[in-house]
Amino acid sequence: QVQLVESGGGLVQAGGSLRLSCAASGRTFNNNAMGWFRQAPGKEREFVAAISWGGGSRYYADSVKGRFTISRDNAKNTVALQMNSLKPEDTAVYYCTARRTSLPGVTPNQYDYWGQGTQVTVSS
């Protein structure tokens, strides 16, 4: 099993920035693609960003391209999501996720491990 713990959520004004972090622990963490999803009240969980094990492949949802950046540090077993130019529609619970394979996916059912989530609220 892989345990994922998110941190860094909070309340920010529109136009502001937040940096989410996710720490992985548990079984040997090798060759795992990582991702971030989010879920707003009354909506389905949606893809935000994903990164391959080596970091060479990064995918972003169209709604966050140019504003969010995903990165990882395999030596520290961490993945981060830098969120800039935040909008009220970015308000959601953000989940860190890991996949048993090295290539990233864009749908929730492609991922095997999930964190508990961290709330991000963007005020207008």
Side-chain angles (χ1 to χ4, degrees):
Q1 284 287 347
V2 172
Q3 289 80 44
L4 304 172
V5 179
E6 303 97 336
S7 62
L11 173 64
V12 64
Q13 288 188 333
S17 298
L18 280 175
R19 183 178 179 84
L20 303 183
S21 294
C22 174
S25 62
R27 67 182 290 272
T28 301
F29 192 67
N30 278 327
N31 293 318
N32 296 93
M34 303 286 292
W36 289 92
F37 286 74
R38 66 187 182 187
Q39 188 166 18
K43 295 188 177 181
E44 293 187 352
R45 192 166 297 190
E46 66 172 0
F47 170 73
V48 176
I51 187 168
S52 61
W53 166 250
S57 295
R58 307 184 192 203
Y59 303 158
Y60 296 94
D62 288 343
S63 59
V64 307
K65 276 181 184 176
R67 301 188 298 123
F68 291 11
T69 302
I70 189 170
S71 61
R72 68 187 298 162
D73 184 339
N74 289 342
K76 297 180 179 179
N77 287 345
T78 59
V79 64
L81 185 68
Q82 178 66 41
M83 306 185 294
N84 299 329
S85 302
L86 282 161
K87 304 175 181 179
E89 51 264 44
D90 295 317
T91 295
V93 177
Y94 283 70
Y95 296 91
C96 175
T97 185
R99 196 179 184 201
R100 291 194 190 103
T101 63
S102 61
L103 295 178
V106 297
T107 61
N109 61 3
Q110 291 177 301
Y111 287 84
D112 303 292
Y113 307 103
W114 293 84
Q116 293 299 308
T118 185
Q119 176 70 47
V120 171
T121 303
V122 184
S123 63
S124 57

